[in-house]
Amino acid sequence: IIREYLQQISINTRQATGQLRDIVFGINPDYDSFSEMQAYFLECIHQFWEGQTLNYWVDFPATKVDPSVSPNVKRLLLLILKEAMNNISRHSEASEVHIRLVLKNSDSYLLEIKDNGRGATLGTAHHFSNGLSGM
């Protein structure tokens, strides 16, 4: 029983640490550039898929300009990315995923996430779930 409690404490600690990192990323002006956002997202993607059997590809092309990204946009795009990866991991039965983040112009971005999974059945979410509708 003690081992189970310690394992749960470890899991909770890692989750809280990750959430705190995301908050700092969102509000720290040192990370407000598009290239910094790409770098942080890339790190999150690698950490998420590390140790899983799914193959993933990331396409984050370099840009000639490096515009500032508002904290709210960074936060929202990160939440969408994490929700999509979580859904793919838990529900899609996919064996591969492609993630792309492209600067369209100085204040427009394309975050594209594709997998080869079975798709989602709309309307089957839990009552208090905000996943797909939030995205």
Side-chain angles (χ1 to χ4, degrees):
I1 299 250
I2 292 174
R3 174 175 260 157
E4 292 173 12
Y5 286 128
L6 291 175
Q7 286 175 335
Q8 190 59 48
I9 289 170
S10 177
I11 290 168
N12 291 346
T13 301
R14 278 193 303 272
Q15 289 174 342
T17 301
Q19 291 169 346
L20 184 57
R21 282 188 77 234
D22 291 349
I23 291 169
V24 170
F25 164 73
I27 63 174
N28 188 337
D30 291 341
Y31 306 124
D32 280 355
S33 71
F34 183 74
S35 63
E36 288 291 335
M37 182 174 71
Q38 283 182 312
Y40 189 80
F41 285 16
L42 189 60
E43 184 178 313
C44 290
I45 292 165
H46 290 317
Q47 285 179 354
F48 186 88
W49 296 116
E50 182 179 6
Q52 296 192 36
T53 57
L54 181 137
N55 294 312
Y56 66 95
W57 292 268
V58 178
D59 179 18
F60 286 9
T63 61
K64 292 180 182 180
V65 295
D66 196 16
S68 181
V69 181
S70 78
N72 192 46
V73 169
K74 289 190 311 184
R75 182 181 68 80
L76 292 173
L77 287 174
L78 180 62
L79 289 173
I80 291 168
L81 172 67
K82 287 188 167 193
E83 181 66 23
M85 291 191 306
N86 187 52
N87 288 344
I88 290 167
S89 176
R90 292 178 64 200
H91 306 295
S92 78
E93 299 175 6
S95 61
E96 59 185 52
V97 63
H98 298 261
I99 303 171
R100 187 169 162 232
L101 178 59
V102 178
L103 178 67
K104 300 299 273 181
N105 59 50
S106 65
D107 64 349
S108 178
Y109 320 95
L110 172 66
L111 175 60
E112 184 175 62
I113 304 163
K114 298 180 187 180
D115 68 70
N116 67 343
R118 62 184 174 97
T121 304
L122 299 178
T124 61
H126 298 293
H127 180 66
F128 294 106
S129 173
N130 292 312
L132 290 176
S133 63
M135 288 170 63

